[in-house]
Amino acid sequence: MIGFRNNKPLLLQESYIFSEYGEEWLGKALEAAARRAGTSLPFLDDLLASIRYYLENQCDLSVMSIDELFNRIRHMLNKIGLEHVARELKNEVPPVAVSVAEIAYREPFWLFFDGELRRQVSDLQDQGITNYFFTEKKECVLALQGQKRWTHSSQNLLKELDFLLSRYQENHSIPIAH
């Protein structure tokens, strides 16, 4: 196996590769499956620790699809008597950070920025990725203004940016990062 940080395999969703991912999204997926199955998971931390141990120490793959990961989690749930939870488990992807500052550096005009943001979000959604959040908003504002210092007009533009980004976050539970 190729050595990665924490020895975890890369995760693949269509053409998007996740190299750094935590466990919170897996916990949310498991809790949602348990709710749909009409039960709870009081030992969720133990399940997540088992998944982490498997990924870091026993998985012989360097790249694993999201489908394969969730199939292996379903298999584990079935083995420990949680078939009802396994049936309800839906594939989820780790949250994706979208740097709006990077977009603004490439497209420093509001109209072009909006178009590129729309394209990037659409590309993520086309790959089945709906769990995303926006980062580096203040840096984005400064890039769009062509300034290095924060001003009163920067604050106003930040409000406009927040409004624009909220259109892309309406159906998502991930908060917009500052």
Side-chain angles (χ1 to χ4, degrees), residues 26-36 39 41 44:
L26 286 173
K28 288 180 181 180
L30 287 165
E31 286 177 326
R35 274 193 308 278
R36 287 190 293 273
T39 190
L41 294 175
L44 178 62

Side-chain angles (χ1 to χ4, degrees), residues 43 47 75-83:
F43 47 90
L47 286 172
H75 178 73
M76 177 195 73
L77 292 170
N78 285 325
K79 282 183 88 170
I80 62 172
L82 295 173
E83 298 88 357

